[in-house]
Amino acid sequence: MLTLADIERMTREDGEGWGYAHVRRVLKLAAAIGADLDYDHEAFDWAVHLHDWGAFPRYRQPGVDHALRSRQIAECDILPQTALSARQAALILDAIEKHDYRDERPVETAEALVLREADFLDFLGVIGMAREFAWGPNNLQTCYERILARRNAVRARFTLPVAQQIAVQRLETMQWALERLLEESFGDL
Ligand SMILES: [Fe+2]
Ligand SMILES: [Fe+2]
């Protein structure tokens, strides 16, 4: 039987430099934005750990959307080896499949909503910018343009009140930081 401790270890081992730290941040953001919601915390923790496995080198497949790939891995390889209930497995798979900001489908569970909005928040603020620069390539202009595109795509997607508050703060910080970036680069990024 696989336990959450096994999944934590596997996320650390297979998640390159970013996977596990991103999970830890999403869990903290989720605790803040979902504090008033009633949801299955055990199922949620599994969903957070597994939600990006489809983007890890060990599992990713060219041409397959990473959220869908993460769902496949959870459904076929991981969840059948756990003691989670069928109801929890269904919650986890749905939350994983719909987490990405490019997925416009509405979500029907609190687990999926909290995962999605916590994940959106990790694209904003200085942390969101740092993630984009770490992603590369070593071309600041390219990273800068991706920062703006990602920010513009997620900024209006928040529905949970605390997520909206955190988003407002992060957007302000980001605006300030982006202005400094342009100023200090004299227009030559
Ligand atoms: Fe993702
Ligand atoms: Fe993510």
Side-chain angles (χ1 to χ4, degrees):
M1 278 287 152
L2 288 171
T3 65
L4 190 60
D6 295 317
I7 297 306
E8 275 182 32
R9 178 181 46 75
M10 292 160 83
T11 307
R12 262 198 308 270
E13 287 172 1
D14 296 328
E16 301 179 282
W18 61 272
Y20 187 64
H22 170 57
V23 163
R24 302 288 300 167
R25 294 194 300 270
V26 168
L27 287 170
K28 290 206 175 77
L29 289 163
I33 69 177
D36 295 337
L37 297 178
D38 186 20
Y39 61 96
D40 183 329
H41 287 265
E42 185 184 31
F44 182 77
D45 283 4
W46 281 80
V48 173
H49 281 83
L50 294 166
H51 82 279
D52 278 333
W53 280 29
F56 294 174
R58 177 167 182 177
Y59 298 107
R60 69 181 162 225
Q61 283 179 354
V64 182
D65 169 69
H66 87 281
L68 205 55
R69 180 72 187 123
S70 298
R71 181 195 160 111
Q72 285 173 354
I73 300 155
E75 189 165 21
C76 303
D77 304 331
I78 305 297
L79 298 184
Q81 301 186 63
T82 69
L84 293 159
S85 70
R87 192 188 137 275
Q88 288 179 307
L91 282 171
I92 292 165
L93 295 174
D94 178 67
I96 291 172
E97 183 180 335
K98 295 187 182 144
H99 82 269
D100 193 74
Y101 71 93
R102 285 156 288 209
D103 194 326
E104 301 280 347
R105 289 176 290 177
V107 289
E108 281 129 32
T109 70
E111 290 79 0
L113 185 64
V114 175
L115 172 56
R116 151 185 283 200
E117 297 200 10
D119 195 59
F120 297 169
L121 282 173
D122 206 38
F123 283 118
L124 297 182
V126 172
I127 185 69
M129 294 172 57
R131 290 178 74 202
E132 298 290 357
F133 288 121
W135 236 298
N138 188 358
N139 178 323
L140 295 180
Q141 183 66 34
T142 300
C143 296
Y144 173 77
E145 285 166 16
R146 208 174 51 228
I147 287 167
L148 296 188
R150 202 102 68 173
R151 178 198 67 180
N152 294 344
V154 303
R155 66 185 312 159
R157 301 288 311 277
F158 298 97
T159 64
L160 295 168
V162 179
Q164 288 173 332
Q165 286 166 22
I166 297 172
V168 167
Q169 290 164 2
R170 290 191 174 199
L171 287 163
E172 272 177 29
T173 307
M174 230 174 153
Q175 189 60 34
W176 183 89
L178 290 169
E179 282 168 15
R180 297 293 78 69
L181 183 65
L182 295 182
E183 186 180 276
E184 293 173 8
S185 65
F186 308 102
D188 281 314
L189 271 180

